[in-house]
Amino acid sequence: MDITIQLVWLFVLAIPIACISWTVTHEEIFKEPREWCVKHSKNDRTLLSRKVFYLFTCEYCFSHYVTIAFLILCNYKLLLNDWRGYILAGFSLVFMANVYMSLFALLRQAIKKEKVEIEKIENETDSEKLLT
């Protein structure tokens, strides 16, 4: 596979990996199972059990497992056409997926901050109207 095609695959495959990882570890639809996993990751007796449950609460950790599933599903290799290509592809996909998730988190934070500032301005305007 041509290097250009491999890089396109890298940037494109990282999108669903990031999407799945973010959704499972942050969004409301998985809130109850995530809270259950958080409880078990803090309170279970064995280290292995705590770590297994923790992986469903951390987008970075979870993205590794989602990446493995996508590598198997898509048979994607980066630069080398043997098992080393899978290793390079795996860590590259995890990196790109986490870049996407970080950018998404920053975007959401900026939007939330803007909403709070708008609400504050609206409240101040309403208060001024009431005083006059």
Side-chain angles (χ1 to χ4, degrees):
M1 187 183 315
D2 182 40
I3 187 70
T4 307
I5 305 269
Q6 289 181 11
L7 290 176
V8 168
W9 273 84
L10 173 66
F11 287 101
V12 171
L13 274 180
I15 295 169
I17 292 169
C19 181
I20 293 167
S21 298
W22 184 272
T23 301
V24 170
T25 60
H26 286 84
E27 297 303 328
E28 282 294 313
I29 192 149
F30 290 103
K31 182 180 179 182
E32 290 80 13
R34 187 173 50 254
E35 287 174 350
W36 184 77
C37 288
V38 167
K39 184 181 91 176
H40 282 278
S41 73
K42 291 180 180 179
N43 300 325
D44 276 8
R45 291 178 189 242
T46 65
L47 177 67
L48 179 62
S49 176
R50 288 192 307 267
K51 296 306 174 190
V52 167
F53 283 108
Y54 181 74
L55 86 90
F56 292 102
T57 66
C58 168
E59 74 268 6
Y60 177 74
C61 304
F62 193 64
S63 69
H64 284 78
Y65 296 96
V66 176
T67 297
I68 290 169
F70 270 83
L71 286 174
I72 293 167
L73 181 69
C74 298
N75 195 29
Y76 173 64
K77 299 174 197 132
L78 184 63
L79 300 178
L80 304 169
N81 207 17
D82 57 6
W83 63 270
R84 298 172 299 170
Y86 283 119
I87 302 292
L88 290 170
F91 286 111
S92 299
L93 285 168
V94 167
F95 176 81
M96 285 310 305
N98 281 281
V99 166
Y100 291 158
M101 287 187 283
S102 297
L103 292 172
F104 183 68
L106 286 172
L107 179 63
R108 284 182 63 154
Q109 185 179 29
I111 291 169
K112 194 172 199 174
K113 180 182 175 187
E114 193 172 303
K115 283 182 181 179
V116 169
E117 289 173 353
I118 289 169
E119 189 175 308
K120 181 181 174 186
I121 292 168
E122 287 174 348
N123 289 338
E124 289 172 357
T125 305
D126 290 343
S127 295
E128 289 173 6
K129 286 181 182 177
L130 288 174
L131 291 175
T132 57

